Amino acid sequence: MGTKKRHWLWNILIVLTLVLCVLAFVEHYKNWHKIEEGNFKIFSGLYYQKIPLTELDSVLLVDKLPEMERSSGFSWMEKEKGVFMDSITQTKIYVFVDDLYQQKIKVVHHDSLKMYLNLKDSLETQKLYAILQSNLSGETEQSN
């Protein structure tokens, strides 16, 4: 009995598919953030926000997300990521939540745009909140 060999192109296609799946998982696995050059940048996979620290209006810690409808994005286990629409005001809300059961940071910027975020580690979330809050406090003190 002879065995039929698979064409080399199929082997390459299978390997490329696996590599792309692993890369997509790594990009969405957690929220990647940094504060540099006066901007707060956060991204997770396809979703990205760059907010100048001077445009922050408020930074709060909240326990629950408000009622929203998903415009694009996904929910998986305790993760919630994507662009949502506020059910009441019909405005866009960006959500970067790694753990629904922990507190979330609510950031209001550019007068009415909202974003909810947290990190997998609650201590890292607290540190990020303190950094954003101190930047917000520094801006309000300079404007007075």
Side-chain angles (χ1 to χ4, degrees), residues 4 6 10 22 50 55 59 63 70 72 75 77 91 99 125 133:
K4 191 173 181 179
R6 193 176 1 200
W10 290 113
V22 167
K50 178 180 175 184
E55 295 295 328
V59 178
D63 292 323
R70 182 178 299 119
S72 68
S75 301
M77 295 176 72
T91 57
D99 191 345
T125 302
Q133 189 67 36

Side-chain angles (χ1 to χ4, degrees), residues 23-99:
L23 287 175
F25 174 76
V26 168
E27 284 186 354
H28 288 91
Y29 176 69
K30 71 176 200 169
N31 293 328
W32 306 89
H33 71 281
K34 70 172 124 174
I35 297 175
E36 66 179 13
E37 300 173 4
N39 292 310
F40 172 59
K41 299 176 186 177
I42 184 163
F43 66 96
S44 180
L46 299 173
Y47 304 101
Y48 174 78
Q49 283 286 288
K50 178 180 175 184
I51 303 168
L53 293 173
T54 57
E55 295 295 328
L56 293 179
D57 294 323
S58 68
V59 178
L60 304 167
L61 279 176
V62 296
D63 292 323
K64 290 177 57 178
L65 293 174
E67 291 288 323
M68 298 182 285
E69 296 176 25
R70 182 178 299 119
S71 179
S72 68
F74 67 94
S75 301
W76 180 63
M77 295 176 72
E78 69 271 358
K79 294 184 185 312
E80 190 89 45
K81 301 189 182 191
V83 180
F84 292 75
M85 295 296 283
D86 188 336
S87 299
I88 298 170
T89 62
Q90 296 302 313
T91 57
K92 278 187 184 179
I93 299 175
Y94 289 87
V95 178
F96 297 91
V97 174
D98 276 342
D99 191 345

